[in-house]
Amino acid sequence: MNGTEGYAVFFFPQALEVLGGAIKPYLVEAPDPYVLCKEIDTAGALVEMTLEGKTAEGREVTIELMVPGSMVRMIVSARSDGAFGFGVRPPASAAVSTTPAATTAPSAPDSPTASTAPTAPAAPTAPTAPTAPTAPTAPTAPTAPSAPSAPSAPSAPSAPSAPSAPTAPTAPKPASG
């Protein structure tokens, strides 16, 4: 995919097996083979891939290759727009820093929850002003009596309650007199 623009379409191993020799001329041989496309359309049941190639006579040709969407494992953009992704980067010593490095307090050893980010001090709170006493309010006027309401619907009979435990009989008290 060096120096190219377009998309790399990776297929499931079973799809490559099913497509067999028909897909072989379009595959780029790699540890995980793929089809390099200039354009791709994933709308619908078929994935349409537009490929550019050359005939045996050297004439340029545009080919449209369509496969069921269920055969496609992954589509990767193969554009060369600069450094992107997890590629090799220059060492940190070669990088020029334009901002001063922040110093952090050392964290406790073997502490999985220790934070290395400094925390800002809490902002001081402003004192609150005393509240002024409120003026007394005028008495409210009495309200007019409300109109009688309509009788309510009778309530449903309640379920019988569970019988209570029997009580022990008490002995009669002797009459005094």
Side-chain angles (χ1 to χ4, degrees), residues 9 11 19 22-27 34-37 39-41 46-51 62-68:
V9 180
F11 295 91
L19 293 171
I23 194 77
K24 292 274 186 200
Y26 308 107
L27 287 175
Y34 57 91
V35 173
L36 189 60
C37 309
E39 294 177 12
I40 193 160
D41 182 7
L46 297 175
V47 174
E48 290 185 38
M49 299 173 277
T50 305
L51 293 81
T62 301
I63 301 168
E64 283 194 12
L65 181 66
M66 293 178 248
V67 297

PDB file of all heavy atoms in Angstrom, residues 9 11 19 22-27 34-37 39-41 46-51 62-68:
ATOM      1  N   VAL A   9      -9.293  -3.594   1.062  1.00  0.00           N
ATOM      2  CA  VAL A   9     -10.452  -4.388   1.486  1.00  0.00           C
ATOM      3  C   VAL A   9      -9.957  -5.775   1.867  1.00  0.00           C
ATOM      4  O   VAL A   9      -9.416  -6.502   1.031  1.00  0.00           O
ATOM      5  CB  VAL A   9     -11.510  -4.469   0.366  1.00  0.00           C
ATOM      6  CG1 VAL A   9     -12.701  -5.299   0.829  1.00  0.00           C
ATOM      7  CG2 VAL A   9     -11.953  -3.079  -0.051  1.00  0.00           C
ATOM      8  N   PHE A  11     -10.754  -9.600   3.385  1.00  0.00           N
ATOM      9  CA  PHE A  11     -11.855 -10.560   3.363  1.00  0.00           C
ATOM     10  C   PHE A  11     -11.678 -11.593   4.464  1.00  0.00           C
ATOM     11  O   PHE A  11     -10.573 -11.835   4.939  1.00  0.00           O
ATOM     12  CB  PHE A  11     -11.902 -11.282   2.008  1.00  0.00           C
ATOM     13  CG  PHE A  11     -12.227 -10.370   0.873  1.00  0.00           C
ATOM     14  CD1 PHE A  11     -11.225  -9.736   0.161  1.00  0.00           C
ATOM     15  CD2 PHE A  11     -13.542 -10.148   0.508  1.00  0.00           C
ATOM     16  CE1 PHE A  11     -11.522  -8.891  -0.886  1.00  0.00           C
ATOM     17  CE2 PHE A  11     -13.849  -9.305  -0.542  1.00  0.00           C
ATOM     18  CZ  PHE A  11     -12.834  -8.669  -1.247  1.00  0.00           C
ATOM     19  N   LEU A  19     -14.414 -17.686  -2.961  1.00  0.00           N
ATOM     20  CA  LEU A  19     -14.185 -16.952  -4.204  1.00  0.00           C
ATOM     21  C   LEU A  19     -13.099 -17.616  -5.051  1.00  0.00           C
ATOM     22  O   LEU A  19     -13.117 -17.493  -6.284  1.00  0.00           O
ATOM     23  CB  LEU A  19     -13.814 -15.500  -3.908  1.00  0.00           C
ATOM     24  CG  LEU A  19     -14.940 -14.659  -3.297  1.00  0.00           C
ATOM     25  CD1 LEU A  19     -14.413 -13.312  -2.840  1.00  0.00           C
ATOM     26  CD2 LEU A  19     -16.087 -14.484  -4.274  1.00  0.00           C
ATOM     27  N   ALA A  22     -11.186 -16.811  -8.798  1.00  0.00           N
ATOM     28  CA  ALA A  22     -11.783 -15.615  -9.384  1.00  0.00           C
ATOM     29  C   ALA A  22     -11.258 -14.342  -8.737  1.00  0.00           C
ATOM     30  O   ALA A  22     -11.151 -13.302  -9.395  1.00  0.00           O
ATOM     31  CB  ALA A  22     -13.306 -15.675  -9.254  1.00  0.00           C
ATOM     32  N   ILE A  23     -10.908 -14.392  -7.452  1.00  0.00           N
ATOM     33  CA  ILE A  23     -10.445 -13.201  -6.744  1.00  0.00           C
ATOM     34  C   ILE A  23      -8.927 -13.059  -6.809  1.00  0.00           C
ATOM     35  O   ILE A  23      -8.388 -11.973  -6.600  1.00  0.00           O
ATOM     36  CB  ILE A  23     -10.941 -13.219  -5.273  1.00  0.00           C
ATOM     37  CG1 ILE A  23     -10.773 -11.848  -4.587  1.00  0.00           C
ATOM     38  CG2 ILE A  23     -10.222 -14.271  -4.466  1.00  0.00           C
ATOM     39  CD1 ILE A  23     -11.784 -10.852  -4.979  1.00  0.00           C
ATOM     40  N   LYS A  24      -8.203 -14.130  -7.121  1.00  0.00           N
ATOM     41  CA  LYS A  24      -6.722 -14.142  -7.094  1.00  0.00           C
ATOM     42  C   LYS A  24      -6.080 -13.017  -7.905  1.00  0.00           C
ATOM     43  O   LYS A  24      -5.150 -12.380  -7.422  1.00  0.00           O
ATOM     44  CB  LYS A  24      -6.185 -15.495  -7.573  1.00  0.00           C
ATOM     45  CG  LYS A  24      -6.478 -16.623  -6.628  1.00  0.00           C
ATOM     46  CD  LYS A  24      -5.438 -16.730  -5.577  1.00  0.00           C
ATOM     47  CE  LYS A  24      -5.739 -17.980  -4.752  1.00  0.00           C
ATOM     48  NZ  LYS A  24      -5.120 -17.967  -3.481  1.00  0.00           N
ATOM     49  N   PRO A  25      -6.528 -12.710  -9.143  1.00  0.00           N
ATOM     50  CA  PRO A  25      -5.848 -11.651  -9.911  1.00  0.00           C
ATOM     51  C   PRO A  25      -5.940 -10.264  -9.272  1.00  0.00           C
ATOM     52  O   PRO A  25      -5.132  -9.401  -9.573  1.00  0.00           O
ATOM     53  CB  PRO A  25      -6.568 -11.654 -11.265  1.00  0.00           C
ATOM     54  CG  PRO A  25      -7.328 -12.915 -11.328  1.00  0.00           C
ATOM     55  CD  PRO A  25      -7.563 -13.370  -9.934  1.00  0.00           C
ATOM     56  N   TYR A  26      -6.914 -10.057  -8.381  1.00  0.00           N
ATOM     57  CA  TYR A  26      -7.130  -8.737  -7.794  1.00  0.00           C
ATOM     58  C   TYR A  26      -6.492  -8.596  -6.417  1.00  0.00           C
ATOM     59  O   TYR A  26      -6.444  -7.505  -5.867  1.00  0.00           O
ATOM     60  CB  TYR A  26      -8.631  -8.449  -7.689  1.00  0.00           C
ATOM     61  CG  TYR A  26      -9.341  -8.666  -9.007  1.00  0.00           C
ATOM     62  CD1 TYR A  26     -10.166  -9.760  -9.191  1.00  0.00           C
ATOM     63  CD2 TYR A  26      -9.154  -7.792 -10.069  1.00  0.00           C
ATOM     64  CE1 TYR A  26     -10.805  -9.981 -10.394  1.00  0.00           C
ATOM     65  CE2 TYR A  26      -9.784  -7.999 -11.278  1.00  0.00           C
ATOM     66  CZ  TYR A  26     -10.612  -9.094 -11.444  1.00  0.00           C
ATOM     67  OH  TYR A  26     -11.230  -9.298 -12.640  1.00  0.00           O
ATOM     68  N   LEU A  27      -6.021  -9.688  -5.834  1.00  0.00           N
ATOM     69  CA  LEU A  27      -5.450  -9.664  -4.485  1.00  0.00           C
ATOM     70  C   LEU A  27      -4.014  -9.172  -4.492  1.00  0.00           C
ATOM     71  O   LEU A  27      -3.233  -9.518  -5.373  1.00  0.00           O
ATOM     72  CB  LEU A  27      -5.480 -11.059  -3.857  1.00  0.00           C
ATOM     73  CG  LEU A  27      -6.834 -11.595  -3.409  1.00  0.00           C
ATOM     74  CD1 LEU A  27      -6.689 -13.029  -2.920  1.00  0.00           C
ATOM     75  CD2 LEU A  27      -7.438 -10.726  -2.325  1.00  0.00           C
ATOM     76  N   TYR A  34      -5.266  -8.630   0.463  1.00  0.00           N
ATOM     77  CA  TYR A  34      -6.333  -7.639   0.379  1.00  0.00           C
ATOM     78  C   TYR A  34      -6.477  -7.186  -1.064  1.00  0.00           C
ATOM     79  O   TYR A  34      -5.612  -7.430  -1.913  1.00  0.00           O
ATOM     80  CB  TYR A  34      -6.054  -6.444   1.291  1.00  0.00           C
ATOM     81  CG  TYR A  34      -4.735  -5.755   1.009  1.00  0.00           C
ATOM     82  CD1 TYR A  34      -4.665  -4.703   0.111  1.00  0.00           C
ATOM     83  CD2 TYR A  34      -3.565  -6.159   1.647  1.00  0.00           C
ATOM     84  CE1 TYR A  34      -3.461  -4.073  -0.156  1.00  0.00           C
ATOM     85  CE2 TYR A  34      -2.363  -5.536   1.397  1.00  0.00           C
ATOM     86  CZ  TYR A  34      -2.319  -4.479   0.492  1.00  0.00           C
ATOM     87  OH  TYR A  34      -1.120  -3.866   0.227  1.00  0.00           O
ATOM     88  N   VAL A  35      -7.593  -6.496  -1.341  1.00  0.00           N
ATOM     89  CA  VAL A  35      -7.835  -5.903  -2.652  1.00  0.00           C
ATOM     90  C   VAL A  35      -7.669  -4.401  -2.482  1.00  0.00           C
ATOM     91  O   VAL A  35      -8.276  -3.805  -1.591  1.00  0.00           O
ATOM     92  CB  VAL A  35      -9.250  -6.240  -3.175  1.00  0.00           C
ATOM     93  CG1 VAL A  35      -9.553  -5.486  -4.463  1.00  0.00           C
ATOM     94  CG2 VAL A  35      -9.404  -7.730  -3.387  1.00  0.00           C
ATOM     95  N   LEU A  36      -6.840  -3.773  -3.330  1.00  0.00           N
ATOM     96  CA  LEU A  36      -6.612  -2.338  -3.275  1.00  0.00           C
ATOM     97  C   LEU A  36      -7.555  -1.659  -4.258  1.00  0.00           C
ATOM     98  O   LEU A  36      -7.527  -1.950  -5.458  1.00  0.00           O
ATOM     99  CB  LEU A  36      -5.156  -2.035  -3.615  1.00  0.00           C
ATOM    100  CG  LEU A  36      -4.725  -0.594  -3.399  1.00  0.00           C
ATOM    101  CD1 LEU A  36      -4.910  -0.201  -1.928  1.00  0.00           C
ATOM    102  CD2 LEU A  36      -3.277  -0.426  -3.800  1.00  0.00           C
ATOM    103  N   CYS A  37      -8.413  -0.774  -3.741  1.00  0.00           N
ATOM    104  CA  CYS A  37      -9.446  -0.128  -4.554  1.00  0.00           C
ATOM    105  C   CYS A  37      -9.237   1.377  -4.584  1.00  0.00           C
ATOM    106  O   CYS A  37      -8.761   1.962  -3.615  1.00  0.00           O
ATOM    107  CB  CYS A  37     -10.827  -0.382  -3.967  1.00  0.00           C
ATOM    108  SG  CYS A  37     -11.173  -2.088  -3.641  1.00  0.00           S
ATOM    109  N   GLU A  39     -11.991   3.411  -5.324  1.00  0.00           N
ATOM    110  CA  GLU A  39     -13.254   3.842  -4.733  1.00  0.00           C
ATOM    111  C   GLU A  39     -13.979   2.622  -4.204  1.00  0.00           C
ATOM    112  O   GLU A  39     -13.739   1.499  -4.643  1.00  0.00           O
ATOM    113  CB  GLU A  39     -14.141   4.544  -5.771  1.00  0.00           C
ATOM    114  CG  GLU A  39     -13.596   5.839  -6.278  1.00  0.00           C
ATOM    115  CD  GLU A  39     -14.479   6.446  -7.355  1.00  0.00           C
ATOM    116  OE1 GLU A  39     -15.626   5.973  -7.546  1.00  0.00           O
ATOM    117  OE2 GLU A  39     -14.018   7.370  -8.026  1.00  0.00           O
ATOM    118  N   ILE A  40     -14.905   2.883  -3.255  1.00  0.00           N
ATOM    119  CA  ILE A  40     -15.683   1.782  -2.690  1.00  0.00           C
ATOM    120  C   ILE A  40     -17.077   2.283  -2.354  1.00  0.00           C
ATOM    121  O   ILE A  40     -17.255   3.437  -1.979  1.00  0.00           O
ATOM    122  CB  ILE A  40     -14.967   1.192  -1.450  1.00  0.00           C
ATOM    123  CG1 ILE A  40     -15.594  -0.131  -1.061  1.00  0.00           C
ATOM    124  CG2 ILE A  40     -14.961   2.146  -0.299  1.00  0.00           C
ATOM    125  CD1 ILE A  40     -14.697  -0.978  -0.210  1.00  0.00           C
ATOM    126  N   ASP A  41     -18.068   1.438  -2.542  1.00  0.00           N
ATOM    127  CA  ASP A  41     -19.455   1.778  -2.212  1.00  0.00           C
ATOM    128  C   ASP A  41     -20.018   0.631  -1.385  1.00  0.00           C
ATOM    129  O   ASP A  41     -20.131  -0.494  -1.867  1.00  0.00           O
ATOM    130  CB  ASP A  41     -20.270   1.971  -3.489  1.00  0.00           C
ATOM    131  CG  ASP A  41     -21.708   2.386  -3.212  1.00  0.00           C
ATOM    132  OD1 ASP A  41     -22.048   2.655  -2.037  1.00  0.00           O
ATOM    133  OD2 ASP A  41     -22.499   2.447  -4.168  1.00  0.00           O
ATOM    134  N   LEU A  46     -24.304  -5.669  -1.767  1.00  0.00           N
ATOM    135  CA  LEU A  46     -22.997  -5.911  -2.380  1.00  0.00           C
ATOM    136  C   LEU A  46     -22.060  -4.741  -2.102  1.00  0.00           C
ATOM    137  O   LEU A  46     -22.478  -3.584  -2.103  1.00  0.00           O
ATOM    138  CB  LEU A  46     -23.138  -6.085  -3.893  1.00  0.00           C
ATOM    139  CG  LEU A  46     -23.957  -7.284  -4.358  1.00  0.00           C
ATOM    140  CD1 LEU A  46     -24.109  -7.255  -5.873  1.00  0.00           C
ATOM    141  CD2 LEU A  46     -23.317  -8.580  -3.913  1.00  0.00           C
ATOM    142  N   VAL A  47     -20.802  -5.034  -1.884  1.00  0.00           N
ATOM    143  CA  VAL A  47     -19.766  -4.011  -1.748  1.00  0.00           C
ATOM    144  C   VAL A  47     -19.172  -3.830  -3.130  1.00  0.00           C
ATOM    145  O   VAL A  47     -18.646  -4.778  -3.727  1.00  0.00           O
ATOM    146  CB  VAL A  47     -18.686  -4.442  -0.733  1.00  0.00           C
ATOM    147  CG1 VAL A  47     -17.546  -3.450  -0.707  1.00  0.00           C
ATOM    148  CG2 VAL A  47     -19.285  -4.608   0.642  1.00  0.00           C
ATOM    149  N   GLU A  48     -19.287  -2.603  -3.677  1.00  0.00           N
ATOM    150  CA  GLU A  48     -18.763  -2.305  -5.010  1.00  0.00           C
ATOM    151  C   GLU A  48     -17.373  -1.703  -4.855  1.00  0.00           C
ATOM    152  O   GLU A  48     -17.198  -0.690  -4.191  1.00  0.00           O
ATOM    153  CB  GLU A  48     -19.667  -1.312  -5.737  1.00  0.00           C
ATOM    154  CG  GLU A  48     -20.995  -1.877  -6.147  1.00  0.00           C
ATOM    155  CD  GLU A  48     -21.801  -0.880  -6.958  1.00  0.00           C
ATOM    156  OE1 GLU A  48     -21.213  -0.148  -7.779  1.00  0.00           O
ATOM    157  OE2 GLU A  48     -23.011  -0.836  -6.736  1.00  0.00           O
ATOM    158  N   MET A  49     -16.389  -2.326  -5.482  1.00  0.00           N
ATOM    159  CA  MET A  49     -15.011  -1.850  -5.439  1.00  0.00           C
ATOM    160  C   MET A  49     -14.591  -1.443  -6.837  1.00  0.00           C
ATOM    161  O   MET A  49     -14.768  -2.206  -7.787  1.00  0.00           O
ATOM    162  CB  MET A  49     -14.088  -2.953  -4.912  1.00  0.00           C
ATOM    163  CG  MET A  49     -14.431  -3.394  -3.501  1.00  0.00           C
ATOM    164  SD  MET A  49     -13.479  -4.822  -2.980  1.00  0.00           S
ATOM    165  CE  MET A  49     -14.462  -6.132  -3.713  1.00  0.00           C
ATOM    166  N   THR A  50     -14.060  -0.237  -6.993  1.00  0.00           N
ATOM    167  CA  THR A  50     -13.555   0.246  -8.282  1.00  0.00           C
ATOM    168  C   THR A  50     -12.038   0.150  -8.247  1.00  0.00           C
ATOM    169  O   THR A  50     -11.390   0.773  -7.395  1.00  0.00           O
ATOM    170  CB  THR A  50     -14.004   1.695  -8.539  1.00  0.00           C
ATOM    171  OG1 THR A  50     -15.428   1.762  -8.439  1.00  0.00           O
ATOM    172  CG2 THR A  50     -13.561   2.165  -9.903  1.00  0.00           C
ATOM    173  N   LEU A  51     -11.480  -0.637  -9.148  1.00  0.00           N
ATOM    174  CA  LEU A  51     -10.040  -0.871  -9.217  1.00  0.00           C
ATOM    175  C   LEU A  51      -9.493  -0.276 -10.502  1.00  0.00           C
ATOM    176  O   LEU A  51     -10.207  -0.209 -11.515  1.00  0.00           O
ATOM    177  CB  LEU A  51      -9.746  -2.373  -9.215  1.00  0.00           C
ATOM    178  CG  LEU A  51     -10.063  -3.162  -7.962  1.00  0.00           C
ATOM    179  CD1 LEU A  51     -11.502  -3.535  -7.865  1.00  0.00           C
ATOM    180  CD2 LEU A  51      -9.216  -4.405  -7.957  1.00  0.00           C
ATOM    181  N   THR A  62     -10.447   0.410 -15.971  1.00  0.00           N
ATOM    182  CA  THR A  62     -11.150   0.520 -14.696  1.00  0.00           C
ATOM    183  C   THR A  62     -12.038  -0.698 -14.551  1.00  0.00           C
ATOM    184  O   THR A  62     -12.814  -1.021 -15.456  1.00  0.00           O
ATOM    185  CB  THR A  62     -11.993   1.809 -14.635  1.00  0.00           C
ATOM    186  OG1 THR A  62     -11.128   2.928 -14.810  1.00  0.00           O
ATOM    187  CG2 THR A  62     -12.708   1.929 -13.307  1.00  0.00           C
ATOM    188  N   ILE A  63     -11.929  -1.344 -13.400  1.00  0.00           N
ATOM    189  CA  ILE A  63     -12.689  -2.578 -13.152  1.00  0.00           C
ATOM    190  C   ILE A  63     -13.582  -2.367 -11.939  1.00  0.00           C
ATOM    191  O   ILE A  63     -13.159  -1.796 -10.938  1.00  0.00           O
ATOM    192  CB  ILE A  63     -11.728  -3.752 -12.875  1.00  0.00           C
ATOM    193  CG1 ILE A  63     -10.793  -3.953 -14.054  1.00  0.00           C
ATOM    194  CG2 ILE A  63     -12.500  -5.015 -12.545  1.00  0.00           C
ATOM    195  CD1 ILE A  63      -9.648  -4.881 -13.751  1.00  0.00           C
ATOM    196  N   GLU A  64     -14.827  -2.811 -12.054  1.00  0.00           N
ATOM    197  CA  GLU A  64     -15.725  -2.804 -10.900  1.00  0.00           C
ATOM    198  C   GLU A  64     -15.880  -4.233 -10.423  1.00  0.00           C
ATOM    199  O   GLU A  64     -16.302  -5.107 -11.183  1.00  0.00           O
ATOM    200  CB  GLU A  64     -17.084  -2.203 -11.263  1.00  0.00           C
ATOM    201  CG  GLU A  64     -17.050  -0.710 -11.355  1.00  0.00           C
ATOM    202  CD  GLU A  64     -18.438  -0.099 -11.389  1.00  0.00           C
ATOM    203  OE1 GLU A  64     -19.438  -0.800 -11.124  1.00  0.00           O
ATOM    204  OE2 GLU A  64     -18.522   1.090 -11.712  1.00  0.00           O
ATOM    205  N   LEU A  65     -15.549  -4.454  -9.175  1.00  0.00           N
ATOM    206  CA  LEU A  65     -15.624  -5.779  -8.563  1.00  0.00           C
ATOM    207  C   LEU A  65     -16.666  -5.704  -7.457  1.00  0.00           C
ATOM    208  O   LEU A  65     -16.617  -4.804  -6.613  1.00  0.00           O
ATOM    209  CB  LEU A  65     -14.241  -6.148  -8.003  1.00  0.00           C
ATOM    210  CG  LEU A  65     -14.077  -7.493  -7.336  1.00  0.00           C
ATOM    211  CD1 LEU A  65     -14.258  -8.614  -8.358  1.00  0.00           C
ATOM    212  CD2 LEU A  65     -12.694  -7.593  -6.724  1.00  0.00           C
ATOM    213  N   MET A  66     -17.634  -6.613  -7.480  1.00  0.00           N
ATOM    214  CA  MET A  66     -18.693  -6.618  -6.469  1.00  0.00           C
ATOM    215  C   MET A  66     -18.726  -7.950  -5.754  1.00  0.00           C
ATOM    216  O   MET A  66     -18.708  -9.002  -6.414  1.00  0.00           O
ATOM    217  CB  MET A  66     -20.043  -6.345  -7.123  1.00  0.00           C
ATOM    218  CG  MET A  66     -20.175  -4.953  -7.673  1.00  0.00           C
ATOM    219  SD  MET A  66     -21.744  -4.704  -8.465  1.00  0.00           S
ATOM    220  CE  MET A  66     -21.231  -4.553 -10.153  1.00  0.00           C
ATOM    221  N   VAL A  67     -18.770  -7.903  -4.421  1.00  0.00           N
ATOM    222  CA  VAL A  67     -18.851  -9.115  -3.595  1.00  0.00           C
ATOM    223  C   VAL A  67     -19.898  -8.880  -2.520  1.00  0.00           C
ATOM    224  O   VAL A  67     -20.180  -7.731  -2.157  1.00  0.00           O
ATOM    225  CB  VAL A  67     -17.488  -9.473  -2.954  1.00  0.00           C
ATOM    226  CG1 VAL A  67     -16.453  -9.796  -4.009  1.00  0.00           C
ATOM    227  CG2 VAL A  67     -17.000  -8.372  -2.057  1.00  0.00           C
ATOM    228  N   PRO A  68     -20.474  -9.933  -1.985  1.00  0.00           N
ATOM    229  CA  PRO A  68     -21.425  -9.756  -0.885  1.00  0.00           C
ATOM    230  C   PRO A  68     -20.756  -9.081   0.322  1.00  0.00           C
ATOM    231  O   PRO A  68     -19.607  -9.365   0.657  1.00  0.00           O
ATOM    232  CB  PRO A  68     -21.856 -11.180  -0.534  1.00  0.00           C
ATOM    233  CG  PRO A  68     -21.587 -11.966  -1.775  1.00  0.00           C
ATOM    234  CD  PRO A  68     -20.385 -11.337  -2.398  1.00  0.00           C
TER     235      PRO A  68
END
